[in-house]
Amino acid sequence: MTAQPGTPEPLWLVVANVVRWRRYGDGGQELRPGTKAYRGGAKVYVVDTYPGMGHEQVTTIGRARTGRWINVDTGSRHLHTFRAKQVHAPAVLRRAEAIAVRPQSPGEAEELAGLLERLAARYRETHHGAPHPTPCLCHTCLVSQA
């Protein structure tokens, strides 16, 4: 399938969602919705990672709280449900092209999604050494209740 003139070719990227609630503050006893840049539950496209830092930070493209498309580095612990997807959205493709995102094969995207899912879960658990507040609405607690 070829793209129309002026439209970038579809890319395989890792897609994730922002956690609805995240632990914050001293010992993680406070809860905040989403992140500073993204609403909780927002879909983001992971366009780059920092392997030398253990993938703790990832570069994402997504709709900001204001509704505008943004590129921002965010902690992988604030994302969940990583999956590989072929992206056709022109706004995402234009931003990816502007920052020279390296195209991935479907297999590479799936492998990276699996790795990021495992690491993000570990980082969510180890970032705050203190026990969870009661009641806790963080992603880990919400998922374990279901």
Side-chain angles (χ1 to χ4, degrees):
M1 180 171 116
T2 60
Q4 295 184 8
T7 304
E9 287 289 324
L11 289 175
W12 279 93
L13 294 176
V14 174
V15 180
N17 293 91
V18 177
V19 295
R20 297 229 179 254
W21 294 93
R22 64 184 166 95
R23 294 174 65 192
Y24 181 80
D26 290 335
Q29 297 302 301
E30 294 178 48
L31 294 170
R32 295 238 171 129
T35 66
K36 185 176 180 180
Y38 297 121
R39 287 187 172 107
K43 182 196 288 187
V44 296
Y45 302 87
V46 177
V47 293
D48 198 9
T49 65
Y50 298 97
M53 295 173 49
H55 302 283
E56 284 187 49
Q57 293 282 318
V58 293
T59 303
T60 60
I61 296 174
R63 283 198 185 263
R65 288 181 174 271
T66 62
R68 294 180 36 218
W69 286 95
I70 59 170
N71 297 11
V72 67
D73 286 351
T74 191
S76 58
R77 72 180 183 276
H78 299 313
L79 304 176
H80 69 93
T81 318
F82 290 88
R83 61 216 180 260
K85 243 184 162 174
Q86 189 173 33
V87 179
H88 298 276
V92 175
L93 295 174
R94 281 193 301 271
R95 286 189 171 276
E97 186 177 63
I99 59 175
V101 171
R102 183 186 69 80
Q104 299 177 357
S105 70
E108 288 174 320
E110 286 177 16
E111 185 178 325
L112 181 58
L115 174 65
L116 290 173
E117 185 69 30
R118 289 188 304 276
L119 291 173
R122 183 171 4 140
Y123 293 147
R124 277 192 295 275
E125 283 304 308
T126 60
H127 185 71
H128 295 289
H132 291 247
T134 304
C136 189
L137 300 172
C138 78
H139 179 74
T140 304
C141 291
L142 289 175
V143 170
S144 65
Q145 289 174 2

